[in-house]
Amino acid sequence: MNDDVVAQILLRLPAKSVFRCRAVCRSWRRITTAAYFVAAHSRRRPLQLLGYTGPNDESLRDDEFLVTSAPVTAVPAVYDGDDTECRRFLRRNVRLCLRGSCDGLLLFERVNAESMLICNPATRQLVNLPPPQRRTCSFFAVTVGKTVGESVYWGRREVDDRSRIMAFDTVSERFRAVAPPPVEHADEGPLLDMDGTFAVAAMSAEPYLDVWASDGCGGERWGLVYDTKEKRMLSCSHRSRSNPWNAAYRESLITVKPRTPPLPPNSEPWLNFY
Amino acid sequence: MATGSGAAAAAADAEEKESGSRMITLTSNEGKAFVVTEASARQSATIRSMVDDGGCVDKGFPLPNVDSKTLARVIQYCDEHGNKEAHTVDERAALAKFDKDFIAELDADKAFLYDVTMAANYLHIQGLFALTTQCIADTIKGKTPEEIRTAFGIEYDLTAQDEEEIKEEDTHA
């Protein structure tokens, strides 16, 4: 049988069987590790939710966790903390810290081992990154930025408030600095992709979360679009309420919500970030 | 208005019936000719596109990659799916039963199953290809790499470097 037919057969297998097929022979190994196969296989699989055990587990450090996964269909609409449906995603208790994610891939740091690995949770494939050259870059410089549209963004690293957000344009292949939103660095939260608009969450008055969005060109102008304290959308400070960008953004927030688990009636909308 | 669209539909229906009743000749690599209805032959996307392109319908289609035994079995599938209706629940259940018996019989003769799979791939018969590949996949499921090699007569040719990588993957997964 030719490779195409073998690939079509192996695509029908669950991830665990595909994993075993990688150890059958060279041609099967070549087929099942090819990028097109991996992509096609994960498209066919049911969506998986990833979960992790946090500081509750006393054997773990605060920022360490074990990764588990469960098919979305197996997770009840209201999650009651019962993890019987979850499957431990990594077989051994490998101590890992999640350092970032990008396009469905997770970047983990191995605790106490000073090495990193990239993991595709859909296919359970893991790849070790080459060890960093400590002489020229610090270990934690290896981070995955937030991909929004055609740019990848990295949050401010320095504590200096004058520092800027770094962006890499994947089309022109150039780095550029982006002025951060007008919040203190210490309050700056995760970078968000709001349906193609680059946004930054900030917690200036805990426990309330503000969301600042850039003007859509990855540019220097920021608008406060959502705050959880007032629980309402705010108009952008630099544009009128009627401008199309603002309307589109408001819509994007609304369309984000149904992807989160169904909310009980009359509850407040909430934002979910990873 | 209603009469007009009704007449058009009737005309289209008649045309479809007419084209469906045409006969098409498929020739195996051993030169044996099989005459099938056009509806049956249209199960194959490869033949369908050749027919629609106004190809050599009268001269028939030589299939140099398919032997007579395999072609006969493939035509058995195409006849069932091409010539029978699948509109009612009963009709669909009958087809599902046919598929089940068809694949059970093939599954008993693995080499023949692979031949039919290759022919279904070559002729682009989507339903048959899905049926046979799923059957083979079910055989693989739950087997260890060693058992898979035995079942498919695959030679072990992994290099030391491959083995190292596999061991590495296995440690994490």
Side-chain angles (χ1 to χ4, degrees):
Chain A
M1 278 189 274
N2 63 35
D3 283 7
D4 280 349
V5 175
V6 173
Q8 289 299 320
I9 293 166
L10 301 184
L11 274 177
R12 294 174 175 273
L13 291 169
K16 197 175 171 185
S17 297
V18 171
F19 194 76
R20 284 175 170 169
C21 287
R22 285 196 228 139
V24 167
C25 64
R26 297 200 81 184
S27 79
W28 282 32
R29 185 165 177 75
R30 190 180 62 239
I31 292 164
T32 49
T33 51
Y36 83 91
F37 181 90
V38 172
H41 187 262
S42 44
R43 271 199 299 276
R44 294 176 70 107
R45 295 292 104 199
L47 287 173
Q48 296 264 316
L49 280 183
L50 286 181
Y52 63 88
T53 61
N56 291 342
D57 189 336
E58 285 177 4
S59 65
L60 300 174
R61 223 172 60 194
D62 279 4
D63 59 345
E64 292 173 6
F65 55 83
L66 297 174
V67 182
T68 55
S69 74
V72 170
T73 48
V75 179
V78 179
Y79 184 65
D80 57 4
D82 177 12
D83 61 359
T84 48
E85 296 282 1
C86 289
R87 172 170 72 97
R88 185 163 286 188
F89 169 66
L90 294 164
R91 196 175 63 203
R92 295 185 188 170
N93 298 0
V94 184
R95 293 205 167 182
L96 297 169
C97 294
L98 183 63
R99 288 299 176 204
S101 68
C102 180
D103 288 344
L105 301 177
L106 304 174
L107 176 72
F108 287 107
E109 181 202 347
R110 269 198 204 85
V111 178
N112 304 330
E114 297 201 345
S115 66
M116 292 207 149
L117 58 96
I118 293 176
C119 156
N120 181 343
T123 60
R124 307 181 61 183
Q125 254 179 309
L126 295 116
V127 175
N128 285 304
L129 283 182
Q133 293 180 359
R134 297 181 62 90
R135 198 161 47 84
T136 51
C137 62
S138 86
F139 186 66
F140 293 106
V142 190
T143 57
V144 180
K146 185 79 202 169
T147 313
V148 181
E150 286 161 349
S151 295
V152 187
Y153 296 90
W154 287 267
R156 289 181 283 176
R157 276 280 158 211
E158 279 90 52
V159 188
D160 180 2
D161 279 337
R162 283 170 304 174
S163 67
R164 304 192 137 210
I165 290 171
M166 192 57 79
F168 180 74
D169 188 307
T170 54
V171 177
S172 69
E173 302 197 339
R174 290 226 168 98
F175 282 99
R176 66 172 195 275
V178 178
V183 294
E184 293 196 2
H185 173 261
D187 299 334
E188 198 176 292
L191 310 181
L192 306 167
D193 173 5
M194 294 292 200
D195 274 6
T197 301
F198 176 53
V200 175
M203 279 182 142
S204 44
E206 260 184 288
Y208 303 112
L209 183 77
D210 299 336
V211 178
W212 292 83
S214 78
D215 63 3
C217 325
E220 316 275 311
R221 303 166 81 178
W222 292 88
L224 183 60
V225 290
Y226 191 86
D227 77 16
T228 50
K229 188 176 183 182
E230 299 295 327
K231 298 192 175 72
R232 65 186 167 89
M233 303 284 303
L234 300 175
S235 64
C236 291
S237 54
H238 60 285
R239 301 259 177 111
S240 77
R241 187 184 287 267
S242 61
N243 87 63
W245 174 81
N246 197 359
Y249 183 69
R250 187 179 300 142
E251 201 160 296
S252 80
L253 262 188
I254 293 162
T255 55
V256 162
K257 278 176 224 149
R259 293 182 207 156
T260 59
L263 292 168
N266 304 325
S267 70
E268 297 295 342
W270 50 286
L271 284 168
N272 210 359
F273 52 88
Y274 302 95
Chain B
M1 183 75 188
T3 333
S5 69
D13 206 31
E15 199 178 309
E16 194 185 312
K17 271 200 186 117
E18 196 190 333
S19 71
S21 64
R22 273 196 298 185
M23 299 307 278
I24 286 177
T25 307
L26 307 175
T27 315
S28 74
N29 63 358
E30 290 140 319
K32 190 171 171 190
F34 293 82
V35 181
V36 299
T37 64
E38 182 173 338
S40 173
R42 289 181 83 85
Q43 289 291 308
S44 155
T46 309
I47 295 174
R48 187 163 64 229
S49 65
M50 287 197 282
V51 171
D52 290 345
D53 288 350
C56 42
V57 177
D58 301 332
K59 282 180 262 166
F61 298 97
L63 304 172
N65 294 341
V66 190
D67 63 37
S68 303
K69 185 188 171 197
T70 310
L71 186 56
R73 186 55 67 95
V74 169
I75 288 171
Q76 189 192 347
Y77 175 91
C78 291
D79 280 347
E80 193 70 21
H81 282 259
N83 298 339
K84 297 219 170 131
E85 307 279 340
H87 299 307
T88 68
V89 176
D90 286 349
E91 282 164 353
R92 276 198 288 268
L95 270 182
K97 185 176 182 308
F98 169 83
D99 282 357
K100 200 169 159 242
D101 296 344
F102 183 85
I103 199 68
E105 204 177 313
L106 273 181
D107 197 24
D109 182 353
K110 295 286 187 204
F112 190 37
L113 172 62
Y114 304 152
D115 286 345
V116 172
T117 307
M118 293 303 285
N121 181 46
Y122 167 65
L123 291 168
H124 288 279
I125 306 169
Q126 212 181 1
L128 180 59
F129 188 64
L131 195 63
T132 54
T133 49
Q134 185 62 54
C135 176
I136 301 170
D138 290 341
T139 317
I140 298 171
K141 214 183 297 183
K143 281 196 169 64
T144 64
E146 182 54 50
E147 286 167 343
I148 294 170
R149 278 190 291 270
T150 313
F152 289 85
I154 296 171
E155 211 170 298
Y156 187 87
D157 61 356
L158 295 169
T159 61
Q161 196 197 336
D162 291 330
E163 284 169 8
E164 193 61 35
E165 283 174 19
I166 290 162
K167 221 164 103 187
E168 178 90 338
E169 287 167 359
D170 205 39
T171 317
H172 308 314

